[in-house]
Amino acid sequence: MRSPRSPRETRSPGLEPLAVLPVFVTLQGKRAVLAGANGGAAWKVKLLAAAGAEVDVYAPEPTEEMRLAPAEAVAGRVTLHERDWSPADLEGAAFAIAAHEDEGECACFVAAARRAGAIVNAIDRPHLCDVSFGAIVNRSPLVVGISTEGAAPVFGQTVRARIEALLPAGFKAWVAAARDWRAAVGARYHAFAERRAFWERFTDRAFAEPDRAPVQADLDALIAETDAGPRGGAVTLVGAGPGDAELLTLKALRALRGADVILYDDLVAPEILDYARREARTMLVGKTGHGPSCRQDDINALMVSLARSGKQVVRLKSGDPLVFGRAGEEIDACRAAGIPVTVVPGVTAAQGAAASLGLSLTHRDAARRLQYVTGHDRRGALPDDLNWAALGDASVTTVVYMPKRTLPALLDRAVAEGLHPDTPALAVFNATRADQAVVRGTATTLPGLVSAAGLDGPAIVMVGDALGRGAQTAAADLERAAV
């Protein structure tokens, strides 16, 4: 009998150490000073002006590019002073940049700027900097900054190019609309959950139609959709897939992003929880095979209680919640309590394993049917009500979930019911994950091979003639053969 355990709250490990703190400085209408005229000076001046700064440049011998900077400023103002700087020039400066070739002169300027209370950057001298400039993706007012702490500038530029490709130029108009609409949305929706629902719909629409500017009709439609949405708490059963986080559906990601509380199973890969909001509570409510497990009644009661308190609850399950995931009991509990409940399907373990191995579960020359069965009943024993005639048919691809303890008895009975002893069979552990392992055999040899392999983790077993098709071409690095 399984040892009972109670649902318990878990916490993410939080932030990893940061090499630098990414911050954004508002310079609109503020004074900035740059002294010197080395190679990177003119570009820094243009950046400061683009952020709305009033920039004074002190350079006795400015470069031609620097001379053009005042006319090329897209915002703010640039004033060129063809002389050396003095400490008095730093009065009232919010930001200061040293652009001298001489190290001593740079250090002198940096010290004076700090005394004046300015934020300081020194071009090509990170040891003198309070802040540094990184690669920038400009979809203003959406701005993305990228830093490698000077370790790999080319890598940072490449990352910038990738992000630019993901953020169409049209996002400028959408972010501008968000800024213009924020006050009206805040006035209409006082509850945080409703405001979040509105902005999630807004974001989805922006990604769907990034190359056009939003109009009043978009705001009206988004408000109508939000008003028509559910009020109060609700439960969403979400399939997390077999392990690989990239197999999550877009709808699953949206549900995780909107959850206040996530109740998850042991088999859910930890990296999937990283997609949740930082503010979301996470609670482990899982069951382990023949080990400590939360009672289903306790999970149902917790789920209903949280939803009744107004929370958006995600019940996160490995694979697909509708395939041996006790979804029926949880849906019934929600409906009985009058709690809105929806289901987001996920990639099943069988689908994920077959895809990773390049196997067709329904090869038209070998399989006329596909069936999923459970390897144990409520007592943990081999179910006595399985359709043994179907299990004995090698032209059916059979996928056995939770098969570890009963595998020898199940395959022995299937062979006794007519399954050919040499029918291809395989066991997949940790399907789609980095540590996926496969044991291949036949209906008679597989149990012994699995036992000898000593593998751990969630497993499924597949049996049927279709598994012999393409087995020779399965990637060797995706499996660890038992000896």
Side-chain angles (χ1 to χ4, degrees):
M1 178 178 290
R2 294 175 177 172
S3 303
R5 69 175 177 182
S6 299
R8 62 182 177 86
E9 189 157 357
T10 58
R11 295 187 180 275
S12 68
L15 286 171
E16 297 289 331
L18 286 168
V20 293
L21 179 67
V23 296
F24 295 90
V25 180
T26 300
L27 292 178
Q28 187 70 39
K30 296 182 179 179
R31 186 164 180 264
V33 172
L34 182 141
N38 66 11
W43 177 246
K44 294 296 193 295
V45 166
K46 293 176 185 178
L47 281 176
L48 293 173
E54 306 291 315
V55 189
D56 287 299
V57 180
Y58 297 92
E61 297 181 2
T63 63
E64 185 60 29
E65 188 178 6
M66 185 66 81
R67 290 183 184 279
L68 296 174
E72 294 177 346
V74 295
R77 173 189 55 79
V78 176
T79 302
L80 178 59
H81 307 273
E82 295 190 38
R83 62 173 176 84
D84 284 322
W85 68 278
S86 69
D89 295 326
L90 289 160
E91 184 177 347
F95 203 102
I97 298 179
H100 301 95
E101 299 290 351
D102 181 74
E103 170 87 12
E105 197 170 358
C106 262
C108 182
F109 178 84
V110 166
R114 285 175 176 157
R115 287 194 296 270
I119 300 170
V120 180
N121 172 267
I123 297 175
D124 293 334
R125 290 183 171 84
H127 58 288
L128 294 178
C129 293
D130 295 332
V131 295
S132 59
F133 290 82
I136 296 173
V137 178
N138 185 10
R139 300 289 185 263
S140 190
L142 174 64
V143 178
V144 180
I146 303 155
S147 171
T148 62
E149 203 187 6
V154 174
F155 181 75
Q157 295 292 334
T158 303
V159 171
R160 182 197 68 185
R162 296 287 183 92
I163 295 176
E164 283 180 330
L166 292 172
L167 300 178
F171 272 6
K172 290 183 179 182
W174 284 93
V175 181
R179 179 187 56 203
D180 295 341
W181 296 348
R182 180 161 294 277
V185 172
R188 185 179 186 91
Y189 301 115
H190 300 290
F192 173 74
E194 291 177 339
R195 292 197 302 274
R196 187 176 70 221
F198 174 91
W199 291 115
E200 285 173 351
R201 291 184 174 95
F202 174 93
T203 302
D204 292 339
R205 185 168 289 212
F207 271 93
E209 302 180 82
D211 296 322
R212 69 170 181 85
V215 296
Q216 181 64 38
D218 292 294
L219 176 59
D220 295 341
L222 290 167
I223 287 175
E225 291 172 18
T226 304
D227 288 347
R231 292 290 190 272
V235 171
T236 306
L237 276 58
V238 175
D244 183 351
E246 292 187 353
L247 294 178
L248 284 171
T249 66
L250 292 175
K251 199 166 187 178
L253 288 173
R254 191 177 300 118
L256 286 171
R257 192 175 65 198
D260 297 310
V261 185
I262 298 171
L263 310 179
Y264 69 98
D265 289 339
D266 289 85
L267 297 183
V268 172
E271 54 268 28
I272 288 174
L273 293 174
D274 292 341
Y275 288 102
R277 293 186 304 115
R278 294 175 186 172
E279 300 85 358
R281 293 172 59 195
T282 55
M283 301 187 71
L284 177 61
V285 296
K287 308 173 189 299
T288 55
H290 313 291
S293 298
C294 293
R295 295 175 61 248
Q296 187 62 50
D297 288 346
D298 292 339
I299 298 172
N300 295 348
L302 176 62
M303 193 170 54
V304 168
S305 174
L306 289 167
R308 277 180 170 161
S309 70
K311 304 297 184 184
Q312 298 299 313
V313 181
V314 161
R315 177 70 175 97
L316 189 62
K317 296 170 173 287
S318 177
D320 185 290
L322 303 176
V323 179
F324 301 121
R326 300 199 179 185
E329 298 170 54
E330 294 175 352
I331 291 170
D332 289 345
C334 289
R335 288 176 175 167
I339 301 296
V341 58
T342 55
V343 180
V344 177
V347 174
T348 67
Q351 291 170 321
S356 67
L357 296 173
L359 293 174
S360 172
L361 297 176
T362 56
H363 196 291
R364 66 178 181 173
D365 294 331
R368 290 188 294 274
R369 228 169 45 247
L370 171 64
Q371 61 185 357
Y372 294 173
V373 301
T374 176
H376 63 76
D377 59 18
R378 287 176 178 267
R379 299 168 292 116
L382 182 67
D384 55 13
D385 57 354
L386 293 175
N387 185 337
W388 292 106
L391 289 171
D393 185 353
S395 68
V396 177
T397 302
T398 300
V399 181
V400 186
Y401 281 71
M402 298 164 284
K404 290 181 180 178
R405 179 169 291 191
T406 61
L407 181 60
L410 187 147
L411 289 181
D412 283 349
R413 177 75 181 272
V415 169
E417 295 288 342
L419 184 68
H420 195 284
D422 293 333
T423 302
L426 57 87
V428 184
F429 291 77
N430 303 306
T432 76
R433 306 188 189 202
D435 58 346
Q436 174 176 294
V438 180
V439 178
R440 292 183 183 275
T442 66
T444 52
T445 64
L446 186 65
L449 293 172
V450 167
S451 177
L455 298 171
D456 197 15
I460 59 171
V461 165
M462 303 184 192
V463 184
D465 285 340
L467 304 178
R469 304 277 178 163
Q472 298 83 0
T473 61
D477 62 347
L478 291 175
E479 55 182 292
R480 186 169 70 209
V483 178

